[in-house]
Amino acid sequence: MTPRFIFSIVAYAVFLLSGCATVSQEPQPEPLKPYSNLRAPGSRTGSVRADRSLPSVEIPVSPQGLQTIDLTSETDDLFQRMRNGFSMPDINNDLVLYHQQWYMNRPESLRRMVQRSSLYLHYIVEELDKRGMPMEIALLPMVESSFNPMAYSRAKASGLWQFIPSTGKRYNLDQNWWKDDRRDVVASTNAALDYLQSIYEMHGDWHLALASYNWGEGAVGRAVNKNRALGMPTDYLSLTMPGETKNYVPKLQALKNIFSNPALVAEFNLLKIANRPYFGTVTKTSNIDVKVAARLAGMQVKEFVALNPAHNRPVIKSESTMVIPADKMDTFVSNLEAHEGSNQPLSSWQSYTVRPGDKLEKIAPRFGMTVANLKEANSITGRIKVSPGLTLLVAGQEGGEPLDMDALAEQPRLPAADPVPEKASQTHTVRKGETLPVIARRYGMTVTELKRINHLRNDKIAAGTRLTVAGANETAAKSESKHGKAEIKSIQRPSPQKAPKITHYTVRRGDTLASIAKRFKVSKDDLLRWNRLSPNALTAGKTLTIQNP
């Protein structure tokens, strides 16, 4: 065999192999077929077979070298930087194809998500790069919240990364009267990446880490152990999981497939995001009004809140981090120095602790406010009673001028912002035969307020359900004096709450959320919240965590 003949065979083999590694772009036929052949490179079912018999073909010119990509080179396109860092193994099944087509049939929805992500995506990519984590995770907020930092789920998950309250506290995300760090772009991103790294180290597999982020690391661990005991594979696709978790990684893979294709990104006219920081951070040692901070940065209040969505009040508490666009940082610092040099206050608000005997009607005029302004500033609706110890936001000086309330319309209005701190609230366990109107009257509340504080969707309430009620005192027993005025005879103070008893229950065939809730005398909403479930995700064999008082 001559050297020329050997070279011909080798060259032809290189030609075939380079063809196998290329994903061809399909034309766009009928709706369900447009992108059915767009598969992730290296996916399980997307291999191409080459004819094993290699005929002798003489190539008249020297073959060109294979195209290489320098992953260390800088790029101006943030999506290209992400593509270079995609490193998770690909999956390819019917669920991936379904979600891929779902997204691609809704290009306007994709455009909105990318538009929202443009404020936050570079920061996420930068943090992933520092930690050496897969770039696919930068797309996870699209699955979790559609990159809406104000997203709030029925399970009380909040923010870009959809932290439930308990997990947020585990990762030091403050949730208080002033702010909810689950909505803070910087704090929640760092917490989410810490959490994902932790569960990756636990499982050693990114798909299982993602499943744990959605379903819980304990649940995934039990599913893995169950398969291992049966001698079955323990990878993500082999586990028995709730429907939401079974679709979770395929959704992310579908988005990865779309953003891996530059031609597709261009075809859908998705916003090109620059590979440079969008914002920087500033920390002030004094309170500053949201409206003042926005003005100093030369921004609309709405734009400022989009970058600083964690704050529950129109004033940012001292030592809180503010996020300012990078191209406005110099303007902000310069205007801030000028403002402070003029001895003008940065905040026209202050906090006020309610004293015994205080009423909103007395507090408001003391600080130059109307009752309506005071309620609006503190997210108070209806006839809710204010109790001693409750914190209210009031005007900065007693007897001052009425406040401009324009900034309040842009502020978050979420359950986390309800002015019912733990020390000024108590719980009530629903007794058999009690209704919401009866309970509301007992604590001087309206049914609407009671439902809002407890996130109830209807007026039905099961016996044994624990409700949060406003005020530190129950309605006191009253008797009429000879002058016809009500006299308080006694005041009941809430007893210290005991730590709940934790019970684990394995779901049996035929069980429903309602039957389990009734059995343990808890609400269905609590079951969903404790176990991070969706209402249709209950399956036989699943272990539920139940808290009993």
Side-chain angles (χ1 to χ4, degrees):
M1 188 179 292
T2 66
R4 183 184 182 94
F5 181 78
I6 293 172
F7 172 77
S8 299
I9 293 177
V10 172
Y12 187 71
V14 169
F15 175 78
L16 285 177
L17 289 173
S18 64
C20 291
T22 304
V23 179
S24 60
Q25 185 178 351
E26 297 289 324
Q28 296 184 26
E30 296 297 320
L32 278 180
K33 295 184 179 179
Y35 305 101
S36 59
N37 290 329
L38 178 62
R39 301 186 184 276
S43 60
R44 292 186 183 180
T45 60
S47 60
V48 180
R49 292 184 178 180
D51 190 348
R52 296 189 179 186
S53 59
L54 297 177
S56 174
V57 178
E58 205 166 308
I59 300 176
V61 292
S62 301
Q64 294 183 355
L66 296 176
Q67 184 179 2
T68 59
I69 299 174
D70 183 1
L71 299 181
T72 64
S73 65
E74 287 291 333
T75 172
D76 293 332
D77 184 353
L78 189 62
F79 288 140
Q80 185 58 52
R81 179 179 176 183
M82 290 165 58
R83 290 180 198 115
N84 294 347
F86 285 161
S87 57
M88 285 186 193
D90 292 300
I91 60 172
N92 195 354
N93 60 15
D94 289 343
L95 284 176
V96 173
L97 182 58
Y98 169 81
H99 290 296
Q100 191 170 297
Q101 290 177 337
W102 191 93
Y103 283 120
M104 299 177 80
N105 288 336
R106 294 163 177 79
E108 188 56 41
S109 177
L110 276 174
R111 281 192 282 272
R112 282 196 301 269
M113 279 200 299
V114 171
Q115 181 70 45
R116 284 193 294 265
S117 77
S118 64
L119 306 183
Y120 324 114
L121 195 57
H122 183 274
Y123 179 79
I124 295 171
V125 167
E126 195 73 18
E127 290 303 306
L128 288 170
D129 222 358
K130 289 177 186 176
R131 297 167 182 248
M133 297 173 70
M135 281 296 166
E136 287 91 336
I137 294 172
L139 299 172
L140 195 59
M142 290 188 178
V143 178
E144 285 286 350
S145 63
S146 297
F147 265 104
N148 177 8
M150 300 302 295
Y152 190 81
S153 78
R154 286 178 297 180
K156 301 182 183 178
S158 185
L160 289 179
W161 298 94
Q162 289 291 280
F163 274 99
I164 59 174
S166 58
T167 309
K169 287 174 184 175
R170 267 172 58 195
Y171 286 88
N172 301 315
L173 296 178
D174 290 336
Q175 300 156 59
N176 55 44
W177 188 80
W178 288 100
K179 62 178 181 175
D180 187 341
D181 277 342
R182 295 178 298 160
R183 300 195 305 266
D184 185 286
V185 176
V186 173
S188 68
T189 295
N190 292 332
L193 301 190
D194 286 345
Y195 183 28
L196 284 163
Q197 278 186 310
S198 169
I199 48 185
Y200 171 72
E201 290 168 4
M202 180 186 301
H203 296 297
D205 180 290
W206 278 113
H207 291 158
L208 295 183
L210 290 167
S212 297
Y213 191 88
N214 176 257
W215 189 21
E217 55 267 42
V220 171
R222 288 189 292 272
V224 167
N225 291 337
K226 181 180 177 181
N227 275 28
R228 187 176 290 126
L230 296 172
M232 297 170 60
T234 57
D235 61 297
Y236 172 83
L237 293 177
S238 301
L239 298 183
T240 301
M241 298 176 289
E244 182 181 324
T245 311
K246 194 179 295 184
N247 283 270
Y248 192 69
V249 175
K251 284 182 183 178
L252 186 66
Q253 180 71 55
L255 288 165
K256 175 184 177 180
N257 291 352
I258 293 169
F259 285 94
S260 291
N261 190 327
L264 212 50
V265 170
E267 180 184 333
F268 285 147
N269 195 27
L270 301 182
L271 179 69
K272 183 177 180 180
I273 303 176
N275 181 24
R276 59 174 179 267
Y278 184 83
F279 61 75
T281 58
V282 177
T283 302
K284 275 297 298 169
T285 55
S286 57
N287 292 357
I288 181 170
D289 288 356
V290 168
K291 192 171 183 180
V292 170
R295 177 168 53 79
L296 295 179
M299 302 170 67
Q300 296 293 321
V301 171
K302 186 174 182 179
E303 296 170 341
F304 183 86
V305 171
L307 284 173
N308 298 271
H311 305 287
N312 294 329
R313 308 295 155 197
V315 57
I316 299 171
K317 192 170 172 58
S318 61
E319 305 300 335
S320 297
T321 299
M322 287 181 288
V323 175
I324 308 292
D327 61 354
K328 297 181 182 294
M329 184 63 78
D330 289 342
T331 299
F332 177 81
V333 172
S334 175
N335 288 340
L336 178 62
E337 290 174 351
H339 188 94
E340 291 178 326
S342 66
N343 292 321
Q344 297 181 56
L346 288 170
S347 178
S348 53
W349 299 91
Q350 62 177 316
S351 58
Y352 174 79
T353 302
V354 177
R355 304 163 188 164
D358 273 344
K359 293 182 179 179
L360 294 181
E361 292 77 7
K362 291 182 179 179
I363 297 170
R366 191 186 309 167
F367 293 94
M369 303 176 71
T370 65
V371 174
N373 286 166
L374 185 60
K375 285 185 171 183
E376 188 178 5
N378 292 278
S379 308
I380 297 174
T381 58
R383 295 174 297 170
I384 190 169
K385 290 185 177 180
V386 293
S387 305
L390 185 70
T391 300
L392 294 177
L393 198 65
V394 296
Q397 296 179 354
E398 292 195 26
E401 293 296 319
L403 288 168
D404 182 356
M405 306 293 286
D406 289 347
L408 290 175
E410 311 293 347
Q411 291 301 110
R413 286 292 180 268
L414 294 177
D418 289 336
V420 188
E422 291 181 8
K423 292 182 179 178
S425 67
Q426 65 184 85
T427 58
H428 173 84
T429 302
V430 179
R431 303 181 181 98
K432 189 174 181 179
E434 282 188 323
T435 62
L436 289 182
V438 169
I439 298 168
R441 281 196 301 272
R442 181 176 182 180
Y443 293 96
M445 303 172 67
T446 65
V447 173
T448 301
E449 290 161 358
L450 188 60
K451 288 170 67 176
R452 176 173 56 84
I453 290 173
N454 291 279
H455 317 298
L456 301 175
R457 293 191 293 274
N458 54 52
D459 291 340
K460 294 181 180 179
I461 192 72
T465 302
R466 293 173 64 184
L467 298 176
T468 298
V469 291
N473 309 323
E474 281 194 47
T475 301
K478 297 179 181 179
S479 65
E480 294 296 320
S481 68
K482 58 184 178 183
H483 298 291
K485 294 182 180 179
E487 182 182 0
I488 296 178
K489 291 290 185 182
S490 63
I491 296 177
Q492 280 189 330
R493 298 197 179 275
S495 57
Q497 290 185 1
K498 297 179 180 178
K501 179 183 176 183
I502 304 297
T503 303
H504 296 289
Y505 175 75
T506 302
V507 179
R508 301 168 186 168
R509 190 179 299 276
D511 277 343
T512 63
L513 276 176
S515 68
I516 297 171
K518 185 175 181 181
R519 178 173 181 170
F520 290 95
K521 297 181 180 179
V522 297
S523 72
K524 291 189 290 184
D525 284 342
D526 280 341
L527 279 178
L528 294 174
R529 177 167 55 86
W530 294 331
N531 295 278
R532 204 172 181 182
L533 285 173
S534 58
N536 59 352
L538 194 68
T539 55
K542 179 174 178 59
T543 301
L544 299 180
T545 297
I546 299 167
Q547 299 180 19
N548 295 105

